[in-house]
Amino acid sequence: QVQLVESGGGLVQPGGSLGLSCAASGSMFSVNAMGWYRQAPGKQRELVAGFTSGGSANYADSVKGRFSISRDIAKNTVYLQMNSLKPEDTAIYYCNAGVVLRTSPLREYLYWGQGTQVTVSS
């Protein structure tokens, strides 16, 4: 069984920084695309930042220049460094990953983490 475990959320003042991490574990053949989404109260879940299976990073316009995504492929872990945080960044942040399972034939499934709360407030 595959699990995505997130950590690093919390409360921070406007202008502050937080780092999130998400580790995938379990019986996996490989992990392809990984990324971060967020969902604020009353809003739809949206992409924050992510890696494609080809390794390219993309960002939501609202976080460009402030957030940075990185990845440790050997550890199946993705990170999100968030700087210059704003109150509008307040949301539950979810990690997701495309995981290829050890099935025959190999198949990729999308998994989600449990979410971690990020609150930006003075």
Side-chain angles (χ1 to χ4, degrees):
Q1 191 169 359
V2 174
Q3 284 189 317
L4 299 184
V5 179
E6 301 143 339
S7 60
L11 173 65
V12 64
Q13 292 187 341
S17 298
L18 274 179
L20 305 180
S21 64
C22 171
S25 64
S27 180
M28 304 174 291
F29 179 80
S30 65
V31 179
N32 292 336
M34 297 187 78
W36 291 94
Y37 285 70
R38 67 185 180 188
Q39 188 166 18
K43 295 187 176 181
Q44 289 189 332
R45 192 173 297 190
E46 62 175 0
L47 173 70
V48 177
F51 283 109
T52 66
S53 56
S56 300
N58 51 69
Y59 296 89
D61 288 343
S62 59
V63 307
K64 283 180 181 176
R66 300 188 298 121
F67 290 13
S68 177
I69 189 171
S70 61
R71 181 175 178 179
D72 186 329
I73 294 175
K75 295 182 178 180
N76 292 321
T77 300
V78 65
Y79 306 92
L80 185 68
Q81 179 62 38
M82 305 181 290
N83 300 324
S84 302
L85 282 159
K86 304 175 181 179
E88 51 263 43
D89 294 318
T90 295
I92 299 175
Y93 283 68
Y94 297 91
C95 167
N96 81 346
V99 178
V100 178
L101 299 183
R102 298 180 184 277
T103 56
S104 181
L106 296 175
R107 288 183 180 173
E108 180 175 336
Y109 296 85
L110 185 64
Y111 288 87
W112 290 89
Q114 79 283 1
T116 185
Q117 178 71 47
V118 172
T119 303
V120 185
S121 175
S122 55

